[in-house]
Amino acid sequence: MKYSSISEAAAVYGIPESTIRYYEKKGLLPLIERDQAGRRLFSERQLALLGAVICLKNTHMPISKIKQYMEWIVEGDSTLERRLEMMQRHRQAVHDEISLMTQYLSGIEEKIERYTKQIQEIKNGEEVRSR
Amino acid sequence: MKYSSISEAAAVYGIPESTIRYYEKKGLLPLIERDQAGRRLFSERQLALLGAVICLKNTHMPISKIKQYMEWIVEGDSTLERRLEMMQRHRQAVHDEISLMTQYLSGIEEKIERYTKQIQEIKNGEEVRSR
DNA sequence: ATACGACTTAAACCATGGTTTAAGTCAACA
DNA sequence: TGTTGACTTAAACCATGGTTTAAGTCGTAT
């Protein structure tokens, strides 16, 4: 099996090494192996789990919940229902956030239209006055 | 003209009064009038500006930028182009964020599918064993 | 007159999510 | 053998975005 160092894992996801260490300390990355020198070894599986952490973090799940989720993964099949329920709730939360952002987006687009028109009007006015 | 108190303004947007005071202190709400007793008076116009601040904040514009934007509004028509450009950039940023969230959303949906299947398989297995 | 509720301020405090620093260990190469 | 580079730790530090506290001022209803 191929293992990656922390610098390689960091490069894969484009995040600083310090963030990975921070996540491990917070309990978001259980089961990371070490070599004889104490350096972290990331298996493919560990890399995938780190990807899951990053996905949840980027969709605004708080660290405390991500931690709970990762603990359930380690616990095994007995937590499948709980994980399913958590992901269903999270899907809803992400969906709601996307809807809200989309609404705000159209507010922003209205502003852009207004500004564009106002600027055009001012330009037209200047054109007329300069004749 | 009708004016609202800070508590009414807070109720309109469902935010704490303390947040409005904080925004004003940070320079996000210039030009708020006061009554003889020093209490804030929100005109319709001020309420609309507060709404704009909340829109920008909820789409993750940092307070320092929102402040810049509000200062440009106060400055008047000479800043129309700058405001337009800022809103165009922000539209792009919001759009990008929505895209990213949408991608992560399908990752979450995949997890939900996997969990659902696994749970079904385990249930089927139990059913068979119990006969 | 006084008590109440709504408001005021400045300053301290808080939570979240990291980042930086300092001091040290290890493996490999010159 | 010694120096270099990648890694380790714990603890301090930071930025962002508020929230809370303490002490005080008004205007109105009783």
Side-chain angles (χ1 to χ4, degrees), chain A residues 16 18-19 22-23 37 39 57 63:
Chain A
S18 63
T19 301
Y22 170 73
Y23 287 167
R39 280 171 282 177
K57 176 211 87 173
I63 282 185

Side-chain angles (χ1 to χ4, degrees), chain A residues 67-99:
Chain A
K67 182 183 173 184
Q68 172 72 267
Y69 177 68
M70 300 310 282
E71 283 168 356
W72 281 340
I73 288 182
V74 172
E75 231 180 295
D77 284 0
S78 63
T79 63
L80 273 175
E81 277 97 342
R82 276 173 276 176
R83 280 184 266 161
L84 174 60
E85 203 203 2
M86 184 186 255
M87 286 304 113
Q88 283 170 338
R89 286 190 200 289
H90 190 54
R91 170 179 58 182
Q92 186 63 50
V94 174
H95 185 272
D96 291 353
E97 201 173 334
I98 290 173
S99 300

Side-chain angles (χ1 to χ4, degrees), chain A residues 1-13 15-17 19-21 23-24 28-35 38-51:
Chain A
M1 210 193 278
K2 213 205 143 210
Y3 284 98
S4 311
S5 68
I6 192 171
S7 58
E8 290 166 335
V12 166
Y13 293 106
I15 60 173
E17 300 176 13
T19 301
I20 296 181
R21 293 194 187 100
Y23 287 167
E24 191 191 18
L28 271 49
L29 299 172
L31 305 179
I32 294 187
E33 297 170 66
R34 306 295 180 115
D35 66 9
R39 280 171 282 177
R40 291 167 185 82
L41 291 178
F42 292 80
S43 64
E44 284 302 314
R45 166 75 173 152
Q46 285 303 323
L47 284 180
L49 289 179
L50 176 54

Side-chain angles (χ1 to χ4, degrees), chain B residues 101-114:
Chain B
M101 294 280 277
T102 303
Q103 285 188 24
Y104 283 126
L105 184 60
S106 42
I108 292 165
E109 280 164 350
E110 277 174 35
K111 282 189 214 301
I112 289 174
E113 274 203 41
R114 273 202 294 100

Side-chain angles (χ1 to χ4, degrees), chain B residues 17-79:
Chain B
E17 300 176 14
S18 63
T19 300
I20 296 180
R21 294 195 187 98
Y22 169 73
Y23 286 166
E24 191 191 16
K25 192 163 56 175
K26 285 290 182 171
L28 272 49
L29 298 171
L31 305 179
I32 292 186
E33 299 171 64
R34 306 295 181 116
D35 66 10
Q36 322 84 297
R39 279 171 283 178
R40 290 168 186 82
L41 291 178
F42 292 81
S43 65
E44 283 304 314
R45 167 73 172 155
Q46 284 304 323
L47 285 181
L49 290 179
L50 176 54
V53 168
I54 290 170
C55 164
L56 296 177
K57 176 211 89 174
N58 282 346
T59 49
H60 310 133
M61 182 178 284
I63 282 185
S64 56
K65 268 200 171 176
I66 301 178
K67 182 183 174 186
Q68 172 72 267
Y69 177 68
M70 299 310 280
E71 284 168 356
W72 281 340
I73 287 183
V74 172
E75 232 180 296
D77 284 0
S78 62
T79 62

